[in-house]
């Protein structure tokens, strides 16, 4: 069965420091991976997806099939990046997203 | 309109009550979802409707009964719930449910408390 692992429950960084939120998945086929974000008092929303290969709010994520990872990175953290981040995996043809347990990013001054 | 709207925002019910959660979207999305999210846990899929037909039921107890009256509306009927069913219930929609068209737009959720 597919599984998504986010090893850190909480990641605390200083403003301006680099950020890396880790995500590893287990799936033997071709995965479709996403990062969803939930800011305080806001709804869960898509941050980025691997097939788009785009940068959103300065965040990027590269799918590494060899390491089965999809880590989320940003070179310089901002206060407004503080939120809960969920890595999610979609397998097969149907939209059955499996979410990781989430990492809370805390950016402090 | 690019939102998924859920009502009510909060619901408190007894174990013998019957209540419903409602979800609405006007983005022309043809797939709609119910997720359950317990505190400090990730969302867990409950049901998927595609083109108004139930496509996925993740072995959800029958005390939860979904309904999709039309392509814009999704209901979740609740009956004889247990206290452990207390959670945030999230509705989501996507353009379609096939790979490549399945970016989910989530509602703000309905927070359910079962006494």
């Amino acid at each position: 069965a597919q599984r998504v692992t986010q090893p850190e429950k909480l990641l605390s960084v200083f403003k301006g420091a680099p950020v890396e939120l880790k995500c590893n998945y287990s799936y033997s086929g071709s995965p479709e991976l996403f990062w969803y974000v939930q800011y305080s008092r806001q709804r869960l929303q898509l941050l980025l997806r691997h097939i788009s290969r785009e940068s959103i709010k300065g965040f990027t994520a590269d799918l590494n099939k060899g390491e089965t990872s999809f880590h989320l990175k940003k070179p310089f953290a901002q206060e407004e990046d503080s939120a809960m981040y969920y890595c999610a995996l979609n397998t097969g043809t149907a939209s059955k997203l499996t979410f990781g347990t989430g990492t809370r990013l805390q950016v402090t001054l | 309109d690019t939102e998924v709207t859920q009502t009510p925002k909060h619901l408190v019910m007894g174990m013998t009550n019957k209540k419903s959660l409602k979800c609405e979207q006007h983005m022309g999305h043809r797939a709609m979802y119910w997720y359950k999210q317990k505190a400090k846990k990730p969302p867990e899929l409950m049901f998927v409707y595609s083109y108004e037909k139930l496509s996925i039921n993740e072995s959800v107890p029958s005390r939860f009964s979904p309904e999709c009256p039309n392509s814009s509306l999704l209901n979740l009927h609740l009956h004889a719930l247990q206290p452990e069913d207390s959670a945030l219930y999230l509705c989501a929609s996507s353009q379609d449910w096939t790979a490549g068209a399945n970016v989910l737009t989530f509602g703000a959720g309905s927070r359910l408390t079962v006494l």
Side-chain angles (χ1 to χ4, degrees), chain B residues 30-114:
Chain B
R30 302 316 300 264
M32 295 186 78
Y33 309 76
W34 280 114
Y35 279 84
K36 175 181 178 178
Q37 187 175 24
K38 301 281 276 185
K40 299 186 180 180
K41 297 287 186 185
E44 293 179 356
L45 182 66
M46 300 174 72
F47 302 104
V48 180
Y49 271 84
S50 175
Y51 290 83
E52 299 154 51
K53 288 186 173 20
L54 183 64
S55 299
I56 294 176
N57 177 342
E58 290 287 273
S59 303
V60 179
S62 60
R63 57 185 185 270
F64 294 92
S65 175
E67 179 197 18
C68 191
N70 60 57
S71 59
S72 299
L73 293 175
L74 184 66
N75 298 320
L76 186 63
H77 302 299
L78 314 170
H79 175 53
L81 295 194
Q82 304 295 311
E84 58 265 28
D85 296 323
S86 298
L88 182 68
Y89 288 84
L90 297 171
C91 176
S93 69
S94 66
Q95 185 181 342
D96 203 333
W97 80 315
T98 55
N102 54 2
V103 173
L104 268 58
T105 300
F106 282 90
S110 292
R111 188 163 298 282
L112 174 67
T113 302
V114 182

Side-chain angles (χ1 to χ4, degrees), chain A residues 36-40 42-45 83-86, chain B residues 37:
Chain A
Y36 280 83
V37 61
Q38 191 164 30
Y39 300 102
S40 179
Q42 293 188 29
R43 58 192 68 192
L44 193 58
Q45 59 187 286
M84 177 68 91
Y85 291 80
Y86 290 101
Chain B
Q37 187 175 24

Side-chain angles (χ1 to χ4, degrees), chain A residues 30-77:
Chain A
S30 287
E32 198 175 355
L33 283 144
F34 304 80
W35 277 99
Y36 280 83
V37 61
Q38 191 164 30
Y39 300 102
S40 179
R41 299 191 190 86
Q42 293 188 29
R43 58 192 68 192
L44 193 58
Q45 59 187 286
L46 177 73
L47 180 62
L48 53 77
R49 55 195 300 205
H50 89 271
I51 63 171
S52 302
R53 299 188 64 80
E54 56 193 345
S55 173
I56 304 290
K57 299 186 180 184
F59 284 98
T60 58
D62 290 318
L63 176 61
N64 185 324
K65 290 188 177 180
E67 295 182 0
T68 60
S69 68
F70 188 57
H71 302 327
L72 184 67
K73 299 177 183 179
K74 184 170 182 176
F76 308 105

